[in-house]
Amino acid sequence: MDVKSNVTYLILGGFVDMNKYRYVYFFILFMVYVLIMCCNSIIVYLILIHKNLHEPMYVFIAALSFNSVLFSTVIYPKLLTDFLSEKQIISLPACIFQHFIYYSLAASDFLLLAAMAFDRYVSICKPLQYPTIMRKSTVTILLLLCWLFPAAQVAGAVVLGGFKKLCTFVLTGIFCNHAVLKLNCVPSAERAIYGVFVSINSTVIPVLFVLFTYAKIFMITSKRGREVRKKAAETCLPHLMVLFSFSCLVTYDVVMARLETNFSKTVRLVMSLQMVLYNPLFNPIIYGLKMKEISKHLKNLFCHITLRAPCETIQRCSCLLILNLTVPELIRWPSSDSPPDLSSRFCLFI
């Protein structure tokens, strides 16, 4: 505790070989952080500016990416600072806030995946009722529930946690996750029971709902035509991949909380980094590559940036490079009355 400022500081004891690999850790995490922020921000940007992406499913995808941006902003800057600092410490209020954001956004992601499953079920199995059910007001209510309900539940857990009488000031992790609860001298039975209740509400029930919903979708579409089955697979598969990835990370967190003493310090560090790395980076890659509309706009954006012309103008394709076509010709093409001769030139596609 800092006597002058009357602030309690905690030591983050999960770092390994800081003197030897300090700058290696910093460089890798910094590049990952930049990549996470860019990928997720691009997904949100594309969904905001393109009207054909103003549909419930894409709104929920944008909310997932926004959660990843907020999550990374709370976790990564502190990690990067710790890698360059001689002492890895954090104040107790900042640690509690980080703990709150960490679990609130994790629960919010599960609820958003459940909302997307409901949207896909109505769209595929009840297409005629879709405009009536999935109105803007419905989407707004679902978004507010996905953000506010987990926050209220985790806030209750933080209040029950107490954090008034601490027996240790050393955390076993590199950020404030479940390890914060082990700082108290006496474990709270009420906090443990409430934690189980919150875990069931925010993880188990949404996961079961998603699995049940997609199973129902596949059962119904299996009796229909090939195109319907293909559409269902294309839209549902990315959501299932994200659900599987995130469920594995939550399992990691539970295993680390229950069996932490059985792991070495290096294993705990690797597992902790996986928890803050995979999901924020995995989501935009999956949705950017697997969702056709988002993938199309990504290619157009890349073409527009690299070639300074829309891809639709360049032969209506996702063209990365036109061999033997000079830059001046390419720049003049959109405004020129006669396009350049492409009969002897080739286009590389993606």
Side-chain angles (χ1 to χ4, degrees), residues 48-177:
L48 284 176
I49 66 171
H50 294 289
K51 291 185 177 180
N52 67 322
L53 298 181
H54 292 178
E55 297 179 5
M57 179 180 65
Y58 298 112
V59 172
F60 294 134
I61 291 175
L64 271 178
S65 292
F66 176 77
N67 280 5
S68 296
V69 170
L70 183 58
F71 173 86
S72 301
T73 302
V74 172
I75 299 294
Y76 276 88
K78 182 64 175 73
L79 278 179
L80 294 173
T81 303
D82 288 333
F83 285 134
L84 296 180
S85 303
E86 292 298 327
K87 294 182 180 180
Q88 291 74 44
I89 60 175
I90 185 172
S91 66
L92 181 59
C95 188
I96 294 174
F97 176 75
Q98 196 178 69
H99 172 85
F100 168 76
I101 294 296
Y102 179 84
Y103 286 104
S104 295
L105 294 180
S108 175
D109 284 351
F110 275 113
L111 291 180
L112 285 172
L113 289 172
M116 279 191 280
F118 175 72
D119 172 75
R120 291 299 84 203
Y121 173 78
V122 177
S123 175
I124 296 173
C125 301
K126 299 182 179 181
L128 297 180
Q129 302 177 31
Y130 184 79
T132 304
I133 297 176
M134 298 303 296
R135 294 176 295 181
K136 287 185 178 180
S137 58
T138 305
V139 175
T140 302
I141 292 172
L142 288 175
L143 280 177
L144 290 176
L145 285 175
C146 290
W147 279 322
L148 298 180
F149 183 65
Q153 286 191 320
V154 176
V158 170
V159 171
L160 289 175
F163 305 108
K164 293 181 180 180
K165 188 177 181 181
L166 306 180
C167 284
T168 180
F169 297 92
V170 179
L171 288 172
T172 56
I174 58 176
F175 58 91
C176 299
N177 51 2

Side-chain angles (χ1 to χ4, degrees), residues 19-317:
N19 293 329
K20 189 176 182 181
Y21 300 110
R22 181 187 308 275
Y23 296 105
V24 176
Y25 290 149
F26 177 84
F27 178 76
I28 294 175
L29 264 293
F30 178 75
M31 296 303 296
V32 169
Y33 177 55
V34 171
L35 190 59
I36 288 173
M37 297 297 288
C38 290
C39 291
N40 285 284
S41 298
I42 288 173
I43 295 294
V44 174
Y45 169 76
L46 290 176
I47 293 173
L48 284 176
I49 66 171
H50 294 289
K51 291 185 177 180
N52 67 322
L53 298 181
H54 292 178
E55 297 179 5
M57 179 180 65
Y58 298 112
V59 172
F60 294 134
I61 291 175
L64 271 178
S65 292
F66 176 77
N67 280 5
S68 296
V69 170
L70 183 58
F71 173 86
S72 301
T73 302
V74 172
I75 299 294
Y76 276 88
K78 182 64 175 73
L79 278 179
L80 294 173
T81 303
D82 288 333
F83 285 134
L84 296 180
S85 303
E86 292 298 327
K87 294 182 180 180
Q88 291 74 44
I89 60 175
I90 185 172
S91 66
L92 181 59
C95 188
I96 294 174
F97 176 75
Q98 196 178 69
H99 172 85
F100 168 76
I101 294 296
Y102 179 84
Y103 286 104
S104 295
L105 294 180
S108 175
D109 284 351
F110 275 113
L111 291 180
L112 285 172
L113 289 172
M116 279 191 280
F118 175 72
D119 172 75
R120 291 299 84 203
Y121 173 78
V122 177
S123 175
I124 296 173
C125 301
K126 299 182 179 181
L128 297 180
Q129 302 177 31
Y130 184 79
T132 304
I133 297 176
M134 298 303 296
R135 294 176 295 181
K136 287 185 178 180
S137 58
T138 305
V139 175
T140 302
I141 292 172
L142 288 175
L143 280 177
L144 290 176
L145 285 175
C146 290
W147 279 322
L148 298 180
F149 183 65
Q153 286 191 320
V154 176
V158 170
V159 171
L160 289 175
F163 305 108
K164 293 181 180 180
K165 188 177 181 181
L166 306 180
C167 284
T168 180
F169 297 92
V170 179
L171 288 172
T172 56
I174 58 176
F175 58 91
C176 299
N177 51 2
H178 61 270
V180 177
L181 303 177
K182 298 185 178 181
L183 299 176
N184 289 321
C185 294
V186 180
S188 173
E190 293 83 1
R191 170 64 179 78
I193 296 173
Y194 183 77
V196 173
F197 172 75
V198 172
S199 298
I200 293 174
N201 273 347
S202 57
T203 58
V204 177
I205 292 178
V207 168
L208 292 178
F209 176 80
V210 171
L211 294 177
F212 173 79
T213 303
Y214 286 134
K216 189 75 173 177
I217 290 173
F218 290 135
M219 289 174 60
I220 293 175
T221 55
S222 64
K223 302 175 184 179
R224 299 182 182 179
R226 181 179 179 182
E227 289 299 321
V228 177
R229 293 196 300 269
K230 183 180 178 181
K231 178 184 176 183
E234 288 177 351
T235 57
C236 296
L237 183 60
H239 305 317
L240 288 174
M241 293 174 67
V242 171
L243 177 68
F244 175 76
S245 170
F246 200 61
S247 298
C248 290
L249 295 178
V250 171
T251 304
Y252 262 132
D253 189 71
V254 173
V255 170
M256 290 178 65
R258 301 302 177 187
L259 304 176
E260 189 171 314
T261 55
N262 297 334
F263 291 129
S264 66
K265 199 173 181 179
T266 303
V267 173
R268 287 202 304 269
L269 174 64
V270 172
M271 294 178 71
S272 297
L273 290 176
Q274 288 178 343
M275 291 165 59
V276 299
L277 190 152
Y278 286 156
N279 198 58
L281 191 59
F282 190 68
N283 288 357
I285 293 175
I286 288 296
Y287 288 124
L289 296 178
K290 294 297 183 181
M291 304 300 291
K292 280 188 174 181
E293 290 299 320
I294 297 178
S295 178
K296 181 182 71 174
H297 288 300
L298 274 174
K299 293 173 184 177
N300 289 337
L301 178 64
F302 183 77
C303 259
H304 184 75
I305 293 173
T306 56
L307 301 179
R308 300 181 183 180
C311 284
E312 290 84 355
T313 306
I314 306 173
Q315 215 176 3
R316 293 184 180 180
C317 67

